[in-house]
Amino acid sequence: MWDLSCRDWEARMRAGRSLVPDLPIDREAGNRAVAVMDRLRLADVTGTPTFGEAGGEWFRDIVRALFGSIDPATKRRMIEELFLLVPKKNSKTTNGALLMLTALLLNERPRAPMLLTAPMQKTADEAFSAISGAIALDPVLEKKLHVRDHLKVIVHRETGARLEVVTFDPDIITGRKVVAALIDELHVLGKMARAAKAMVQLRGGMQPFPEAFLATITTQSDDPPVGVFAEDLERARAVRDGKRQSPVLPVLYEFPMSMQADRAKPWRDPANWGLVTPNVGRSIDIERLTRSATDEEQKGEAAFRIWASQHLNIQIGQALAAAGWAGAEFWERRAEMVLSPEVLVERCEVVTVGIDGGGLEDLLGLVLVGRERGSRRWLAWAHAWAHEIVLERRKELEPKLRDLEKAGDLTIVELPGQDVEEVADIVCQVDAAGLLPEKHAIGVDPAGIGAIVDELTIPDRGILLERIVAVSQGWKLNGAIGTAERALAGGTLIHGGQPLMAWCVGNAKVVPVGNAKIITKQVSGSAKIDPLMALLNAVSLMSLNPVARRRNSIYDEGVTI
């Protein structure tokens, strides 16, 4: 397996060099592919220049590597996949379309099936138009290729190979055997519930062909990455950084995290935008891009950040939505340690519990907030449970919930009751360590948590009803919201960087009510913020400066065992 890492990608980007690493490619085969693509005409550009006249060298490097990676002896392609992350207006769709046309022309396998697909019909139509337009402008190609416009299929008259352009549909993709495939805008597929299974099928359909390749060309998502997009993006980054071996060529035009996380926000300076816009001076102009950014900025920070995700590949995190919670701005900075109930028992002198949700279409959120010995910082850990019915009724959430399940932050249960028992088990674990307060120990949303209260107060659990507090919601939760904001800003509320809470914090919307502000499910969306509400319930009790019911002498400072 080739080493496809590009560990010096930041230096290459700043110097304007290719992000394709130095590889032992068959340069003759690679240059032949570039020569074929250079002859193709751009049907939607004034004067219909060839790609050789108007295309970017950065994309030629990709074509050269991809087509030069076939081992002459085994005929096996060493670069089995391409992952290209490039902002809008960098000829992404056109370049991808011409890449697939080049593959059709160079293919030697009789009747080879090829596929170009995009999740939106408009994108698929644009790709087919670029291919059919290039063919119509070249008399030689018109004789060699049969364009079936009504089916969006191009057939090579000599080899019988077919390139089909379709809108992505799991039912169409499943079971396909393809020699080459390109997916445009993978980030949209990440939000589709069945996309992951379809991608497994697509990759499986390439196994019989040693020369097969899968190319994915995409911008960043305008939401936090989820599903197959999040998985493939992280894999590509890991390969690029030398942390993982995989036959995928990672070419990612994105700012280094140091620039994205810098409080000075250097990525917002147009002088730096050329770093991530490789087609600048051709299909893209920084001056026009700046005007577009200004227009979006005037609509508000949220609109500008969404624009930036598409035009600068800035990855959406927290504090991006309009009317977002102020605490979200500080959330990522407060992820300082790996936390669990066991760690809280070991490090803390007292723990309060917050519980929220639990309806069949909600998440059931549990949060433990512990006060650390010595520093008196608040340490927060969370977990959530979801019934399988959520996956059926909220299809748009399934990719994200599956991601959280893989991360260990979410448990998906088949039957009501399992979640309640597991919540009670964790609460009783902390209580057995003597860390829950005598009073005001467990804060719950008064609505819909009767089963939780019943389970906690059964004789075998030993939790007295008076230790469970119904935390008033709505505007009465304003104090807890403000307390959590200040604690995050001041660095006195620390968490374990769990994806579950990052997601919920990013989903939170704030609504002003008189002099107060509230976070509600009605505005934020059900099944999205329950663990955050559980955090606020726990914070409201911790802000009362509680004392543990009894000290666990094993962990007391100065105690000799």
Side-chain angles (χ1 to χ4, degrees):
M1 182 182 293
W2 283 1
D3 179 2
L4 297 175
S5 66
C6 188
R7 294 173 175 82
D8 61 341
W9 67 273
E10 291 188 32
R12 286 171 173 258
M13 181 179 289
R14 295 179 190 278
R17 296 168 55 207
S18 173
L19 297 187
V20 176
D22 299 327
L23 299 170
I25 64 172
D26 180 343
R27 298 203 68 84
E28 182 178 349
N31 288 334
R32 181 187 175 207
V34 170
V36 169
M37 189 162 174
D38 276 348
R39 288 184 56 187
L40 302 178
R41 292 194 171 273
L42 306 178
D44 61 346
V45 177
T46 302
T48 62
T50 63
F51 184 83
E53 295 168 334
E57 188 61 31
W58 67 278
F59 200 78
R60 289 190 188 86
D61 289 336
I62 294 172
V63 172
R64 187 177 291 109
L66 184 62
F67 289 93
S69 67
I70 296 181
D71 187 304
T74 65
K75 301 299 182 183
R76 178 191 169 204
R77 192 181 298 272
M78 305 306 291
I79 297 177
E80 297 177 7
E81 296 191 25
L82 162 69
F83 187 94
L84 172 60
L85 182 73
V86 65
K88 285 184 179 296
K89 306 304 180 185
N90 281 276
S91 295
K92 170 180 61 64
T93 297
T94 298
N95 288 354
L98 297 187
L99 183 149
M100 292 305 293
L101 179 53
T102 299
L104 180 65
L105 293 169
L106 291 174
N107 166 71
E108 297 178 355
R109 181 178 292 274
R111 306 181 67 82
M114 300 184 181
L115 180 70
L116 190 159
T117 184
M120 294 173 289
Q121 183 175 342
K122 178 178 179 292
T123 305
D125 289 345
E126 289 175 356
F128 182 77
S129 178
I131 294 171
S132 59
I135 295 170
L137 290 169
D138 190 320
V140 175
L141 294 185
E142 277 196 302
K143 293 179 181 179
K144 186 172 291 191
L145 303 172
H146 178 205
V147 179
R148 305 179 68 181
D149 290 279
H150 62 297
L151 296 177
K152 289 189 171 58
V153 173
I154 299 96
V155 181
H156 197 294
R157 299 181 192 274
E158 298 170 9
T159 65
R162 294 163 51 93
L163 171 59
E164 185 175 359
V165 181
V166 299
T167 304
F168 186 91
D169 183 337
D171 291 332
I172 295 176
I173 301 301
T174 299
R176 286 288 188 107
K177 290 186 177 181
V178 291
V179 170
L182 184 142
I183 297 177
D184 197 347
E185 294 294 27
L186 181 68
H187 74 89
V188 180
L189 299 190
K191 304 171 186 178
M192 295 183 179
R194 297 168 58 201
K197 293 181 180 178
M199 291 295 291
V200 170
Q201 291 278 337
L202 184 60
R203 288 183 168 106
M206 295 182 169
Q207 292 301 315
F209 312 114
E211 77 276 23
F213 73 83
L214 170 64
T216 54
I217 302 180
T218 184
T219 64
Q220 254 295 354
S221 174
D222 55 5
D223 289 309
V226 297
V228 293
F229 174 61
E231 293 173 0
D232 284 7
L233 175 61
E234 289 309 308
R235 179 186 60 162
R237 286 172 173 163
V239 173
R240 177 195 64 188
D241 298 339
K243 298 177 180 178
R244 177 175 175 178
Q245 284 285 311
S246 184
V248 56
L249 176 64
V251 183
L252 295 88
Y253 284 93
E254 60 180 358
F255 288 108
M257 286 307 299
S258 58
M259 294 183 69
Q260 296 194 45
D262 192 326
R263 288 191 181 185
K265 296 182 174 58
W267 62 266
R268 298 184 72 143
D269 185 350
N272 292 321
W273 291 355
L275 298 178
V276 296
T277 52
N279 228 47
V280 67
R282 298 179 182 87
S283 62
I284 193 167
D285 178 83
I286 296 297
E287 184 177 345
R288 293 184 64 183
L289 203 60
T290 303
R291 290 199 298 269
S292 173
T294 301
D295 290 342
E296 293 303 312
E297 202 165 14
Q298 290 175 352
K299 298 175 185 177
E301 180 67 12
F304 175 73
R305 290 292 186 94
I306 291 174
W307 176 91
S309 74
Q310 298 300 286
H311 293 273
L312 300 177
N313 275 348
I314 296 297
Q315 181 167 317
I316 297 286
Q318 288 79 54
L320 299 179
W325 180 43
E329 181 179 348
F330 305 95
W331 187 262
E332 289 182 340
R333 307 178 203 171
R334 304 307 174 218
E336 294 188 10
M337 63 183 73
V338 176
L339 295 177
S340 66
E342 292 75 18
V343 171
L344 263 65
V345 166
E346 179 182 351
R347 299 178 66 104
C348 296
E349 60 188 9
V350 65
V351 173
T352 57
V353 177
I355 303 173
D356 189 273
L360 289 181
E361 294 190 36
D362 290 337
L363 301 184
L364 173 58
L366 168 70
V367 172
L368 306 180
V369 173
R371 190 171 66 219
E372 190 178 30
R373 291 185 184 85
S375 72
R376 295 182 65 83
R377 297 186 304 173
W378 295 355
L379 311 182
W381 172 86
H383 196 81
W385 289 258
H387 291 280
E388 286 188 337
I389 195 170
V390 176
L391 306 181
E392 294 297 324
R393 296 185 179 179
R394 301 293 302 277
K395 287 290 188 182
E396 75 279 9
L397 291 179
E398 182 177 355
K400 184 61 183 180
L401 296 182
R402 291 297 186 188
D403 287 348
L404 296 176
E405 182 184 30
K406 292 177 183 177
D409 291 351
L410 177 73
T411 300
I412 296 177
V413 300
E414 296 182 4
L415 297 174
Q418 176 187 340
D419 51 350
V420 171
E421 291 179 4
E422 292 181 5
V423 167
D425 287 343
I426 294 172
V427 173
C428 290
Q429 174 188 348
V430 178
D431 190 45
L435 296 186
L436 292 188
E438 188 70 40
K439 297 181 179 180
H440 304 133
I442 304 166
V444 299
D445 179 350
I449 46 78
I452 296 285
V453 175
D454 290 344
E455 178 66 27
L456 287 172
T457 55
I458 62 175
D460 289 347
R461 297 292 187 185
I463 303 291
L464 298 178
L465 185 60
E466 52 263 33
R467 301 178 73 194
I468 303 174
V469 181
V471 179
S472 298
Q473 304 294 294
W475 66 268
K476 293 184 179 179
L477 203 58
N478 185 63
I481 294 173
T483 298
E485 289 174 359
R486 290 190 296 273
L488 286 166
T492 56
L493 174 55
I494 305 302
H495 60 87
Q498 294 174 270
L500 169 70
M501 289 303 296
W503 180 55
C504 294
V505 166
N507 288 332
K509 305 287 195 304
V510 174
V511 178
V513 177
N515 293 326
K517 53 189 175 184
I518 62 174
I519 298 174
T520 68
K521 296 177 186 177
Q522 289 74 20
V523 175
S524 302
S526 63
K528 290 185 178 181
I529 64 167
D530 305 272
L532 173 60
M533 302 308 290
L535 171 68
L536 296 176
N537 291 341
V539 164
S540 68
L541 300 186
M542 185 57 73
S543 64
L544 299 176
N545 195 28
V547 176
R549 181 167 58 92
R550 61 179 175 82
R551 299 297 296 274
N552 188 337
S553 61
I554 294 176
Y555 300 111
D556 282 352
E557 295 179 2
V559 175
T560 302
I561 300 177

